[in-house]
Amino acid sequence: QVQLVESGGGSVQAGGSLRLSCAGSGYTYSSHCMAWFRQAPGKGREGVADIDSDGKISYANSVKGRFTISKDNAKNTLYLQMNSLKPDDTAMYYCAAALKGGSCSYTSLEVWGQGTLVTVSS
């Protein structure tokens, strides 16, 4: 079964930290792009960070300097370390992965997780 399962969400106060995990199964996701997205209530889905097959990492401007994307190839798992959290970071966080190629274009992301909720209070 090709799937991604997020975990690690929760409720924290502003300035706190969380580490999200995205466990992949059924495919070698580390060979392709993996990415994090988020969607706040009433808002559209926003790209947060991604890492392509060559290890190139990109971040949304809103999270630069605060979030770190990484992956553990042995575990076939993607991570998002979230520090200095702000109330505006409150959202459902999703991971996604490509099944071929190395591009991180949105259309290449064929597999999506169900999301994990992050709530940041002031």
Side-chain angles (χ1 to χ4, degrees):
Q1 182 179 46
V2 178
Q3 65 175 1
L4 299 170
V5 180
E6 302 97 334
S7 62
S11 298
V12 298
Q13 292 188 331
S17 298
L18 287 172
R19 185 181 66 187
L20 307 184
S21 298
C22 173
S25 62
Y27 201 78
T28 305
Y29 298 99
S30 61
S31 298
H32 310 284
C33 175
M34 301 190 76
W36 286 99
F37 288 77
R38 66 186 182 185
Q39 187 167 20
K43 305 293 184 180
R45 187 163 293 185
E46 173 191 18
V48 176
D50 59 61
I51 179 167
D52 69 14
S53 61
D54 294 322
K56 180 182 177 181
I57 294 172
S58 296
Y59 294 100
N61 289 334
S62 59
V63 307
K64 286 181 179 178
R66 299 188 298 118
F67 291 9
T68 302
I69 187 172
S70 63
K71 60 181 180 179
D72 186 327
N73 292 337
K75 296 181 179 179
N76 208 25
T77 300
L78 182 73
Y79 300 96
L80 185 68
Q81 179 65 47
M82 308 163 63
N83 298 326
S84 301
L85 284 162
K86 305 174 181 179
D88 285 348
D89 295 319
T90 295
M92 186 73 74
Y93 283 72
Y94 302 89
C95 63
L99 298 179
K100 56 183 179 294
S103 174
C104 281
S105 64
Y106 183 81
T107 55
S108 72
L109 301 172
E110 301 181 48
V111 184
W112 291 77
Q114 295 299 307
T116 185
L117 181 63
V118 172
T119 302
V120 184
S121 60
S122 61

